[in-house]
Amino acid sequence: MALTQVSSNKYCDGYQKVFEHGSSELKCKMKFAIYLPPKAEIGYGKYSHPLCFAGLTSTEQNFITKAGSQQAASEHGIIIVAPDTSPRGCNIEGEDESWDFGTGAGFYVNATQEPWKTNYRMYPYVTEELPRLINSNFTADPEKMSISGHSMGGHGALICALKNPGKYKSVSAFAPICNPIQCAWGQKGFSGYLGPDKCTWEYDATVLAESYSGPELDILIDQGRDDQFLCSSQLLPDNLIAACSKQKIPVVFRLQQGYDHSYYLIFSFIIDHIIDHIDHIKILQNGGRRNSGEKNC
């Protein structure tokens, strides 16, 4: 798949780039941002690469301009990939009418309903097509892939890890939508993309955790205590924590005093998440395990 470079900026001794490509899954042109740490461009070794998803209404620009991840990525030799969150320019009637559906929220599903099923295949795009593209064009190590996200992107990160045991070496999230079949955002998105039969709504982190039987998977979540969507029952982290506890999936859940749903939460704790991903990859390489458990701060 051919890549067209849209922009390139020197940043923390590495390069923040944006590329465009034609997507075979989404049947449209897509953009993704990629941070390449120093020497990554000239094939110096192999670098681990977290895939980072932004939240509702986001494009690839939100994470790279607001999250502040580049300094830590540069210091630790991490490639960070930030995809767009929805297909764009597909000329589907109504795709731009709502901030929580269509181009505002693809929900990382493989749509089965008209008129969305041709283009809205974000799940196979982020789990298969985009990683293949990164691995074939950059010095990324496919055995060191982690995943993270914010809000709807946190939902995306969690379901990708839970639906693909062993594919990702670690997973983290900021204020994720944890139980979408039980909240208004998820019910709107899933019914539109997947239809009314809830048996087909197989993209819910809480439900997936209840039946998870793969290799050890540790989850790190930072959640703002003053998040307006936490109070309005859109995020439902307690449901996910309960499901993980039943299945003995280790969760570090940090409830951060005074923080809301904005990118200030991400900027404040992104380094913790990058270090967590790095540490977990190192521990797995050494054949060990890391200690995790539920924690409220």
Side-chain angles (χ1 to χ4, degrees):
M1 291 176 282
L3 294 179
T4 301
Q5 184 169 284
V6 176
S7 64
S8 178
N9 298 94
K10 190 72 178 285
Y11 201 162
C12 298
D13 293 325
Y15 283 90
Q16 180 64 69
K17 295 176 178 283
V18 175
F19 288 92
E20 184 178 71
H21 71 101
S23 169
S24 59
E25 287 287 357
L26 307 179
K27 307 296 187 295
C28 67
K29 288 186 175 180
M30 290 292 288
K31 290 180 182 178
F32 67 88
I34 183 168
Y35 180 75
L36 300 172
K39 299 183 180 178
E41 281 198 306
I42 58 174
Y44 182 81
K46 283 286 190 177
Y47 290 72
S48 56
H49 62 296
L51 289 173
C52 297
F53 302 147
L56 297 166
T57 74
S58 298
T59 70
E60 81 287 342
Q61 289 295 314
N62 288 61
F63 184 82
I64 66 174
T65 58
K66 297 177 182 179
S69 63
Q70 290 88 349
Q71 182 67 56
S74 175
E75 291 176 0
H76 296 282
I78 296 291
I79 290 175
I80 295 185
V81 181
D84 202 342
T85 54
S86 297
R88 299 185 190 276
C90 298
N91 298 316
I92 300 173
E93 184 178 356
E95 65 181 352
D96 296 323
E97 289 181 359
S98 177
W99 65 272
D100 58 356
F101 191 74
T103 55
F107 272 98
Y108 303 104
V109 302
N110 189 355
T112 59
Q113 302 299 299
E114 295 288 1
W116 312 101
K117 67 179 184 179
T118 298
N119 304 103
Y120 277 69
R121 297 172 51 83
M122 288 299 296
Y123 175 74
Y125 175 72
V126 298
T127 58
E128 300 295 338
E129 183 178 3
L130 184 58
R132 282 198 305 269
L133 192 64
I134 300 303
N135 294 335
S136 61
N137 286 277
F138 303 96
T139 56
D141 188 339
E143 299 301 317
K144 298 179 182 178
M145 185 165 60
S146 299
I147 195 164
S148 183
H150 169 237
S151 189
M152 183 190 70
H155 145 77
L158 291 169
I159 64 164
C160 288
L162 290 164
K163 284 174 71 67
N164 296 275
K167 186 180 186 74
Y168 304 96
K169 304 311 176 190
S170 57
V171 58
S172 74
F174 298 88
I177 304 172
C178 294
N179 196 186
I181 65 172
Q182 298 293 340
C183 75
W185 280 343
Q187 290 165 2
K188 177 179 179 178
F190 288 0
S191 61
Y193 294 131
L194 304 172
D197 183 1
K198 292 186 178 181
C199 293
T200 67
W201 294 8
E202 58 185 64
Y203 303 90
D204 184 297
T206 297
V207 175
L208 291 167
E210 288 172 348
S211 59
Y212 183 80
S213 60
E216 181 186 5
L217 177 68
D218 296 281
I219 300 172
L220 170 63
I221 296 175
D222 273 307
Q223 171 65 60
R225 186 183 290 273
D226 292 349
D227 188 325
Q228 64 272 36
F229 301 116
L230 179 66
C231 299
S232 62
S233 298
Q234 293 282 23
L235 306 180
L236 304 172
D238 289 346
N239 295 1
L240 176 63
I241 292 170
C244 288
S245 179
K246 253 188 218 182
Q247 292 298 100
K248 295 182 170 51
I249 301 172
V251 178
V252 175
F253 178 74
R254 308 194 304 186
L255 195 58
Q256 303 291 2
Q257 183 68 38
Y259 286 88
D260 57 19
H261 198 71
S262 71
Y263 268 76
Y264 296 117
L265 173 71
I266 305 174
F267 187 91
S268 298
F269 301 104
I270 187 65
I271 293 176
D272 290 354
H273 286 237
I274 290 174
I275 297 298
D276 187 74
H277 290 304
I278 293 169
D279 286 348
H280 193 51
I281 288 170
K282 287 179 179 177
I283 289 170
L284 288 177
Q285 285 177 325
N286 294 330
R289 296 165 64 93
R290 69 176 178 182
N291 294 321
S292 296
E294 296 177 18
K295 179 172 68 174
N296 291 287
C297 300

